[in-house]
């Protein structure tokens, strides 16, 4: 059991961080694409499909960062009741992470299913890019699958160590 | 509304999941699934994912991470540390003295960052110790800061307004413009409160003797001036129709990177921290939006929004009483939820109601922001109270009490907006349309 943990733990942490970093690279891509579009417009040329690629980058960035944001305690929830629970908080957390794991798995399953269907029916983007839609949708699958893994990871930790692994209440500059 | 029982189960589950601490975005997602299963024969999961993909890959939404990033960069630059020095010479002569720095500082920082927690942290960190050391009374320092930080939700770029605009499909540029005049008016009312305090409690105001010439004042605020120019460029490019909200956000990011680099505060670590912070925050909001998209889809099938809109229509409520009811509703909701969640959670139901009553959606955006702002400073859950407690270690009840006069001013602001709707609607009507998107 511990041997598995020794290999799995760093591997999982690396997975979350990597997807977070990829998400932030897509954020940089969004910036570059928008600046390119502006420059193109000023100089009188048009970047075909650039708005569509910006949208895909937005989706890719959001989905890939889901698990990273979860681990850093960014996702918002109402913790009023959990705080009242005191030493029984653990049971409340098990409920939350249980429901969370279930919904995240559900999310990932249907993300994969809808991407597979885009692939099977060869859905082409409505925009000017005319790309097969399953290509950008891959990032939705990857992101939601890692999100589900992260939830199961926390739920497992709750059962074994009695605590989830989120750095709770880290207030980021922009976390409202 | 034929299925009263089913609708009750549907709404009951929603509040149960939210109340027990399930993450807002996932709770909305789960309830949407339940709703689609109960009210339709459509394959729920597939319908939800199609909708979620379309809304997550929207071009308009990209303004969100970029404005967040801009705030994160400036948050880490010298702006925060130099703001007090830069503003002090200009505020010292006003009645009420340096307390005004809290309000003006919050207004300026609100214009570079879309959230009130960031505004509160940045301005609070530098102004609280300075004001304390000069002998200003604690309750004035804390109260004005807590209240004025809510301007972050109103003055563009506002994350809440972007989320609202994407949800109800209104122009983000117009919403931003609509927030400017009410935001400035609200800030002025806060300043009037400080001035009023200085006349009533003359003995509480410390005397400031230092005098400066105009040139010295400018020299003191040399770090502040570029930021103000950047704000004017970002807002002006939207107003003048040269850039869409998204493009203005990109200009803001590039501009703040340049400013930070020129000031020498753009280290590699600061750059990475700002980028990762922006990525996480926007993923947080994106998850809520994904859940809300699915919920809106499901809500349509329940018939609840239409039934409620018809119900409100049949009651022949005046606009005024509808708005009063909504104000109370949002303040209560906001006691438990943050601003963005309360907006997206309710829009599926509230939007048809508001449109039925003939209320302008741009104006309503500003109304809802003011109301959600108030909720940020009401216990038991007010985000600004939490942040303030973290900075000052005062009990939450004390902080809420010091902010009470500012809460009252905001209530007054709602009535002013109802009496003079042009405050919000005039400026957007003069905006030139941007050429792209």
């Amino acid at each position: 059991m511990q041997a598995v943990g020794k290999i799995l733990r760093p591997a999982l942490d690396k997975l979350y961080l990597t997807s977070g970093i990829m998400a932030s690279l897509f954020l940089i891509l969004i910036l570059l694409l928008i600046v390119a579009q502006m420059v193109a417009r000023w100089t009188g040329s048009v970047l075909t499909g650039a708005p569509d690629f910006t949208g895909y980058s937005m989706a890719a960035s959001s989905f890939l960062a889901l698990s990273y944001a979860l681990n850093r305690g960014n996702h918002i929830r109402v913790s009023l009741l959990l705080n009242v629970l005191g030493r029984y908080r653990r049971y409340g957390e098990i409920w939350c992470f249980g429901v969370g794991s279930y919904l995240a798995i559900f999310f990932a399953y249907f993300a994969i299913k809808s991407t597979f269907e885009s692939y099977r029916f060869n859905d082409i983007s409505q925009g000017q890019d005319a790309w097969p839609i399953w290509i950008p949708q891959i990032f939705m699958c990857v992101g939601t699958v890692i999100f589900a893994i992260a939830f199961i990871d926390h739920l497992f930790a709750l059962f074994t160590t009695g605590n989830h692994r989120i750095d709770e209440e880290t207030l980021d500059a922009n976390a409202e | 509304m034929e299925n009263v029982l089913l609708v009750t189960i549907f709404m009951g589950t929603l509040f149960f999941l939210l109340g027990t601490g399930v993450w807002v975005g996932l709770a909305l997602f789960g309830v949407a699934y339940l709703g689609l299963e109960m009210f339709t024969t459509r394959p729920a999961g597939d319908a939800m994912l199609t909708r979620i993909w379309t809304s997550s890959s929207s071009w308009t939404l990209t303004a969100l991470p970029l404005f967040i990033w801009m705030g994160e960069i400036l948050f880490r630059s010298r702006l925060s540390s130099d703001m007090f020095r830069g503003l002090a010479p200009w505020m010292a002569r006003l009645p009420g003295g340096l307390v005004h720095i809290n309000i003006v500082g919050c207004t300026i920082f609100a214009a570079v960052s879309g959230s009130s927690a960031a505004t509160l942290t940045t301005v609070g960190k530098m102004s609280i110790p300075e004001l304390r050391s000069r002998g200003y009374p604690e309750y004035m320092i804390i109260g004005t800061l807590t209240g004025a930080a809510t301007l972050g939700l109103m003055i563009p770029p506002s994350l809440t307004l972007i989320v609202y605009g994407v949800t109800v499909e209104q122009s983000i540029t117009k919403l931003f413009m609509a927030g400017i005049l009410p935001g400035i008016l609200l800030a002025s009312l806060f300043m009037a409160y400080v001035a009023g305090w200085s006349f009533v409690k003359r003995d509480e105001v410390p005397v400031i003797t230092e005098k400066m010439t105009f040139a010295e004042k400018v020299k003191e605020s040399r770090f502040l001036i570029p930021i103000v120019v950047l704000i004017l460029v970002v807002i002006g490019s939207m107003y003048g129709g040269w850039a869409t909200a998204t493009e203005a956000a990109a200009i803001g990011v590039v501009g703040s990177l340049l400013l930070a680099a020129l000031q020498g505060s753009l280290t590699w670590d600061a750059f990475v921290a700002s980028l990762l912070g922006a990525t996480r925050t926007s993923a947080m909001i994106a998850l809520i939006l994904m859940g809300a998209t699915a919920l809106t889809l499901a809500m349509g099938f329940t018939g609840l929004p239409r039934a409620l809109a018809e119900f409100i229509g049949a009651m022949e409520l005046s606009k005024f009483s509808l708005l009063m009811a909504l104000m109370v509703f949002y303040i209560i909701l906001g006691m438990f939820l943050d601003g963005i969640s309360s907006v997206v959670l309710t829009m599926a139901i509230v939007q048809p109601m508001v449109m039925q009553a003939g209320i302008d959606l741009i104006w309503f955006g500003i109304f809802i922001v003011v109301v959600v702002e108030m909720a940020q400073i009401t216990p038991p859950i007010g985000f600004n109270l939490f942040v303030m407690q973290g900075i000052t270690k005062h009990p939450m009840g004390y902080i809420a009490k010091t902010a009470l006069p500012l809460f009252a001013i905001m209530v007054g602001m709602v009535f002013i907006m109802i009496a003079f709707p042009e405050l919000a609607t005039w400026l957007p009507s003069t905006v030139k349309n941007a050429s792209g998107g």
Side-chain angles (χ1 to χ4, degrees):
Chain A
M1 199 54 203
Q2 270 186 331
V4 179
K6 242 176 213 158
I7 305 168
L8 210 53
R9 182 75 272 139
L12 282 175
D13 288 338
K14 205 167 229 173
L15 179 69
Y16 306 139
L17 187 64
T18 312
S19 78
I21 291 171
M22 276 181 63
S24 63
L25 292 180
F26 273 108
L27 182 50
I28 296 181
L29 188 61
I30 293 174
L31 177 68
L32 295 180
L33 279 168
I34 290 171
V35 170
Q37 276 162 265
M38 263 191 293
V39 172
R41 203 175 68 218
W42 293 332
T43 55
S45 56
V46 180
L47 286 176
T48 315
D52 304 292
F53 292 125
T54 318
Y56 298 153
S57 309
M58 177 68 206
S61 175
S62 312
F63 282 109
L64 288 173
L66 285 179
S67 54
Y68 178 50
L70 176 74
N71 294 337
R72 298 292 296 268
N74 283 82
H75 290 303
I76 284 182
R77 59 171 171 165
V78 183
S79 47
L80 203 61
L81 185 75
L82 288 171
N83 293 337
V84 174
L85 283 177
R87 63 197 177 96
Y88 299 108
R89 183 180 175 122
R90 186 177 166 205
Y91 300 102
E93 293 284 10
I94 290 178
W95 155 257
C96 290
F97 279 92
V99 172
S101 304
Y102 171 75
L103 290 173
I105 293 168
F106 177 87
F107 199 169
Y109 171 77
F110 279 99
I112 294 171
K113 188 167 175 236
S114 74
T115 305
F116 184 68
E117 267 161 26
S118 314
Y119 171 75
R120 201 159 53 113
F121 297 114
N122 199 21
D123 279 347
I124 301 296
S125 156
Q126 300 289 313
Q128 291 170 318
D129 59 316
W131 264 31
I133 202 83
W134 64 267
I135 298 176
Q137 279 181 336
I138 290 275
F139 294 106
M140 171 168 75
C141 300
V142 175
T144 50
V145 167
I146 300 177
F147 192 42
I149 293 174
F151 259 108
I152 299 166
D153 188 4
H154 288 296
L155 185 63
F156 186 75
L158 263 172
F159 278 118
T160 50
T161 67
N163 227 327
H164 56 70
R165 307 181 48 261
I166 290 179
D167 323 327
E168 197 82 68
E169 322 296 356
T170 45
L171 270 175
D172 263 286
N174 274 291
E176 237 202 319
Chain B
M1 204 158 51
E2 314 82 47
N3 311 312
V4 177
L5 179 68
L6 288 183
V7 169
T8 314
I9 297 175
F10 178 69
M11 296 306 286
T13 313
L14 175 60
F15 289 115
F16 181 74
L17 287 180
L18 285 176
T20 51
V22 175
W23 294 263
V24 175
L26 282 176
L28 304 188
F29 183 85
V31 174
Y33 169 62
L34 181 75
L36 286 171
E37 286 291 336
M38 283 197 305
F39 294 97
T40 66
T41 50
R42 292 173 61 162
D46 304 272
M48 280 160 64
L49 259 293
T50 312
R51 205 48 96 77
I52 287 176
W53 170 257
T54 315
S55 72
S56 318
S57 56
S58 120
W59 191 84
T60 329
L61 202 56
T62 50
L64 192 71
L66 292 179
F67 274 126
I68 296 175
W69 193 9
M70 172 181 164
E72 290 270 352
I73 296 164
L74 292 175
F75 175 68
R76 289 177 168 80
S77 75
R78 282 187 63 175
L79 162 71
S80 347
S81 44
D82 287 330
M83 192 183 270
F84 192 91
R85 246 182 71 194
L87 286 175
W90 306 96
M91 303 295 144
R93 316 296 301 166
L94 294 176
L98 298 178
V99 178
H100 288 290
I101 290 181
N102 275 346
I103 294 158
V104 177
C106 283
T107 311
I108 293 180
F109 201 78
V112 297
S113 144
S115 94
S116 45
T119 307
L120 190 53
T121 322
T122 316
V123 180
K125 257 194 307 205
M126 55 85 193
S127 84
I128 293 174
E130 297 276 357
L131 290 176
R132 273 184 186 157
S133 70
R134 283 171 173 76
Y136 285 93
E138 187 76 5
Y139 77 94
M140 278 308 283
I141 305 178
I142 307 292
T144 51
L145 194 56
T146 315
T150 59
L151 290 168
L153 295 187
M154 191 159 183
I155 292 188
S158 150
L159 303 186
T160 315
L161 279 179
I162 298 180
V163 169
Y164 173 83
V166 170
T167 314
V168 302
E169 296 181 337
Q170 292 291 312
S171 151
I172 289 168
T173 303
K174 286 195 171 167
L175 282 166
F176 278 0
M177 295 308 137
I180 293 179
L181 289 181
I184 292 175
L185 177 62
L186 191 55
S188 317
L189 290 175
F190 288 161
M191 289 178 78
Y193 161 69
V194 174
W197 158 79
S198 76
F199 291 126
V200 177
K201 307 230 165 150
R202 221 172 265 277
D203 49 325
E204 284 184 9
V205 190
V207 184
I208 295 159
T209 44
E210 39 195 306
K211 273 195 184 147
M212 281 186 184
T213 64
F214 184 78
E216 280 170 340
K217 286 180 181 176
V218 173
K219 197 172 167 239
E220 278 293 291
S221 47
R222 63 188 178 280
F223 290 112
L224 216 51
I225 291 165
I227 304 277
V228 174
V229 172
L230 178 66
I231 294 168
L232 292 179
V233 169
V234 169
I235 295 178
S237 66
M238 280 187 277
Y239 182 77
W242 299 299
T244 61
T246 304
E247 291 169 346
I251 295 173
V253 172
V254 174
S256 43
L257 282 174
L258 282 177
L259 279 186
L262 288 176
Q263 288 182 350
S265 52
L266 186 73
T267 59
W268 174 249
D269 285 347
F271 175 77
V272 171
S274 73
L275 180 62
L276 290 179
T279 308
R280 285 198 303 269
T281 307
S282 53
M284 177 270 284
I285 298 175
L287 181 65
I288 299 175
L289 280 173
M290 288 171 199
T293 311
L295 185 70
T296 307
L297 175 72
M299 205 60 106
F301 288 107
T302 63
L304 194 60
R306 206 184 51 240
L308 265 176
E310 281 166 10
F311 175 70
I312 299 281
M315 284 212 307
E316 294 186 4
L317 274 179
S318 65
K319 260 188 214 177
F320 183 75
S321 27
L322 174 66
L323 289 172
M324 285 303 109
L326 284 173
M327 176 166 95
V328 174
F329 170 71
Y330 277 109
I331 291 178
I332 295 175
L333 194 65
M335 286 177 181
F336 305 98
L337 282 174
D338 66 290
I340 288 179
S341 304
S342 7
V343 171
V344 295
L345 177 64
T346 52
M347 266 311 134
I349 290 185
V350 171
Q351 190 186 359
M353 214 190 282
V354 167
M355 286 168 75
Q356 168 89 19
I359 296 170
D360 180 57
L361 280 178
I362 299 280
W363 181 89
F364 188 72
I366 306 304
F367 168 83
I368 206 173
V369 164
V370 178
V371 179
V372 196
E373 272 179 36
M374 293 188 218
Q376 305 291 321
I377 55 174
T378 46
I381 306 274
F383 265 75
N384 287 5
L385 298 181
F386 273 136
V387 179
M388 205 61 196
Q389 193 179 26
I391 303 177
T392 62
K393 312 289 174 220
H394 283 300
M396 206 175 258
Y398 172 80
I399 300 170
K401 218 162 63 190
T402 60
L404 200 62
L406 293 106
F407 181 82
I409 292 174
M410 286 169 157
V411 176
M413 184 67 206
V414 170
F415 290 108
I416 294 177
M417 276 187 58
I418 294 174
F420 306 101
E422 298 79 14
L423 257 178
T425 54
W426 174 73
L427 200 57
S429 70
T430 64
V431 172
K432 294 174 192 64
N433 276 326
S435 30

